[in-house]
Amino acid sequence: MSGKEIVSSAEVTVEFNAQRCIHSRHCVLDRPDVFVPNVQGAWIHPENATADEVLEIAHNCPSGAIQCHKPDGTALEQAPKVNLMQVRENGPLAFHAPLTIAGQADGFRATLCRCGASRTKPYCDQSHVGSGFQATGEPDTTPSEPLERRDGELVIDPTHNGPLHVTGALELVSGTGRTIQRVTDVWLCRCGHSGHKPYCDGSHVKYGFVSD
């Protein structure tokens, strides 16, 4: 499956982008009547849920592969009050914020590659599983002061052959929800080799990391 599927009911329109999906499987496990697994043909059935129920499914999709809005285009999902980035154990960086990625508005949720092996950079495509990537989801806490503002646009620039440059209010949290650091400007490793993950330490140069 590839590309984007758009399916509407009277109450809600669902957009599913297979290229963003990291197979967290919340959709098919939580609402198998809406996202029906292992069938031929149509598998997305928003008519089996209310708009609020579909919105809950979208909220539980960390990659942003599932988006929803009213059939007239009116937004259902609202920006979070606190911008977060969760460091996933042996996996990607999961963002929840009003995102601008590589100059394009990109919704509120995305999982970005930090192993260096994804074929759909800057997004995660689960290549960390096959590559055996290992990196803790519980990095050490760096003392930081509370941010004056905790929300607002978060700009992510995947630099050429280098790290993710992130600007805007952001709270970094561990896989268990512990606050790691609060920042407004940070460089995050996406080559997989930094000795100070999730932060960049320049290892992309040594290892010849290549990515637009």
Side-chain angles (χ1 to χ4, degrees):
M1 186 184 302
S2 62
K4 182 180 289 187
E5 298 179 62
I6 302 175
V7 185
S8 294
S9 70
E11 288 191 40
V12 62
T13 294
V14 174
E15 296 185 9
F16 175 76
N17 187 342
Q19 294 181 341
R20 293 278 290 270
C21 181
I22 62 168
H23 307 290
S24 60
R25 303 188 70 234
H26 291 297
C27 58
V28 297
L29 292 175
D30 294 347
R31 288 302 301 261
D33 57 332
V34 178
F35 288 84
V36 184
N38 304 319
V39 295
Q40 295 293 323
W43 69 289
I44 302 173
H45 295 276
E47 70 277 6
N48 290 335
T50 67
D52 285 343
E53 289 171 336
V54 172
L55 179 59
E56 182 178 2
I57 298 170
H59 281 157
N60 287 333
C61 176
S63 68
I66 297 172
Q67 306 280 344
C68 65
H69 52 80
K70 293 182 180 179
D72 66 1
T74 303
L76 285 171
E77 187 170 3
Q78 302 298 314
K81 299 296 185 183
V82 180
N83 293 343
L84 296 177
M85 185 208 78
Q86 183 183 59
V87 182
R88 295 200 155 202
E89 185 80 15
N90 301 329
L93 303 173
F95 290 85
H96 186 205
L99 298 170
T100 297
I101 301 177
Q104 300 293 320
D106 208 1
F108 301 121
R109 289 163 287 111
T111 46
L112 302 188
C113 175
R114 69 171 178 141
C115 73
S118 174
R119 296 174 296 275
T120 58
K121 298 180 184 70
Y123 304 100
C124 172
D125 70 354
Q126 292 289 79
S127 289
H128 57 273
V129 177
S131 68
F133 176 69
Q134 293 187 336
T136 183
E138 299 293 328
D140 292 338
T141 297
T142 299
S144 56
E145 296 296 323
L147 299 172
E148 291 185 8
R149 181 178 179 181
R150 305 175 77 189
D151 60 357
E153 181 187 22
L154 193 71
V155 177
I156 302 177
D157 176 24
T159 63
H160 181 65
N161 297 339
L164 298 172
H165 183 204
V166 183
T167 54
L170 182 63
E171 303 195 15
L172 283 60
V173 298
S174 71
T176 57
R178 172 175 51 84
T179 298
I180 300 167
Q181 192 176 15
R182 304 171 184 91
V183 299
T184 57
D185 192 313
V186 67
W187 300 79
L188 299 171
C189 176
R190 67 180 184 126
C191 74
H193 295 289
S194 173
H196 188 44
K197 299 180 184 70
Y199 311 104
C200 173
D201 69 354
S203 291
H204 56 277
V205 177
K206 175 182 177 180
Y207 288 91
F209 176 68
V210 176
S211 179
D212 293 333

